[in-house]
Amino acid sequence: DADVTQTPRNRITKTGKRIMLECSQTKGHDRMYWYRQDPGLGLRLIYYSFDVKDINKGEISDGYSVSRQAQAKFSLSLESAIPNQTALYFCATRRGTSDGEQFFGPGTRLTVL
Amino acid sequence: AQKVTQAQTEISVVEKEDVTLDCVYETRDTTYYLFWYKQPPSGELVFLIRRNSFDEQNEISGRYSWNFQKSTSSFNFTITASQVVDSAVYFCALSDLYNQGGKLIFGQGTELSVKP
């Protein structure tokens, strides 16, 4: 089974809808991250969390919110989706003290019409 | 500022050619890590290699090799005898260990197309 899972894998929604992307991990890592990927821009950090009570904004947090329900679960919400949030979203995990390597989920492809 | 630049947006080669993907980085840290990831058309990110800033030895893994040069802040990736299955987007990334939770800073990606 995959160590980092994301649901859904694909989602099409309409402008103004609320949507939640979910991430679960079985690696036992403290740190979790949400990135988005846009063509030609690589991946950019949306939010990150050190643990359940420690959540922080990344580079591009506007229009997003997150929830760390448990050490293993980190959800990303779009309160009112807009077309320029159409992107590929990745969840990642990392050990607290490590060489910086992050372990990525399979990605969620989100389309906002 | 921490930054990763992959100047080659797209590369197209014919099968069996060698190809080098360039990566140049900027960092103020003395301890850092560099990574390469492959993203096939299916979209997932496949980890290829991790290199720390204190280890400048080149590495070879099968048809893949990496050249890390601190003097030029580069971490280039070479595929020898390319194959169609190598077609993908390749990302170089730098760990920002002391900011934003140790995020990874990604380059823009290089799309490699290997034609039969």
Side-chain angles (χ1 to χ4, degrees), chain A residues 9 31 33 35 37 40-43 45 48 50 57-59 88 90 94 98-102 104-106 109, chain B residues 33 35 37 39 41-45 47 50 89 91 95 97 99-109:
Chain A
R9 294 293 312 280
R31 300 190 184 194
Y33 306 79
Y35 292 87
Q37 180 186 355
L41 292 178
L43 278 73
L45 182 67
Y48 64 100
F50 287 127
K57 294 182 177 180
E59 306 166 57
L88 184 56
F90 287 100
R94 178 193 161 199
S98 73
D99 56 15
E101 181 178 353
Q102 295 187 10
F104 286 86
R109 195 170 296 277
Chain B
Y33 293 85
F35 303 83
Y37 289 88
Q39 186 177 47
S42 53
E44 74 272 22
L45 288 170
F47 168 80
R50 173 185 64 248
V89 180
F91 289 99
S95 62
L97 293 175
N99 292 289
Q100 296 199 318
K103 70 178 181 182
L104 290 180
I105 299 167
F106 285 82
Q108 303 93 317

Side-chain angles (χ1 to χ4, degrees), chain A residues 80-94:
Chain A
S80 180
I82 56 177
N84 76 1
Q85 291 177 313
T86 293
L88 184 56
Y89 290 85
F90 287 100
C91 174
T93 72
R94 178 193 161 199

Side-chain angles (χ1 to χ4, degrees), chain B residues 18-78:
Chain B
D18 299 346
V19 58
T20 295
L21 310 182
D22 297 332
C23 173
V24 174
Y25 64 93
E26 297 175 31
T27 181
R28 58 181 172 270
D29 299 333
T30 54
T31 301
Y32 53 89
Y33 293 85
L34 295 162
F35 303 83
W36 276 94
Y37 289 88
K38 173 182 180 180
Q39 186 177 47
S42 53
E44 74 272 22
L45 288 170
V46 178
F47 168 80
L48 295 178
I49 190 173
R50 173 185 64 248
R51 173 66 66 209
N52 76 54
S53 52
F54 299 107
D55 182 1
E56 289 194 69
Q57 280 194 332
N58 292 331
E59 182 156 341
I60 298 174
S61 176
R63 296 184 297 107
Y64 295 170
S65 62
W66 290 269
N67 181 267
F68 176 33
Q69 292 195 335
K70 287 180 74 172
S71 60
T72 56
S73 297
S74 65
F75 186 43
N76 296 337
F77 172 33
T78 297

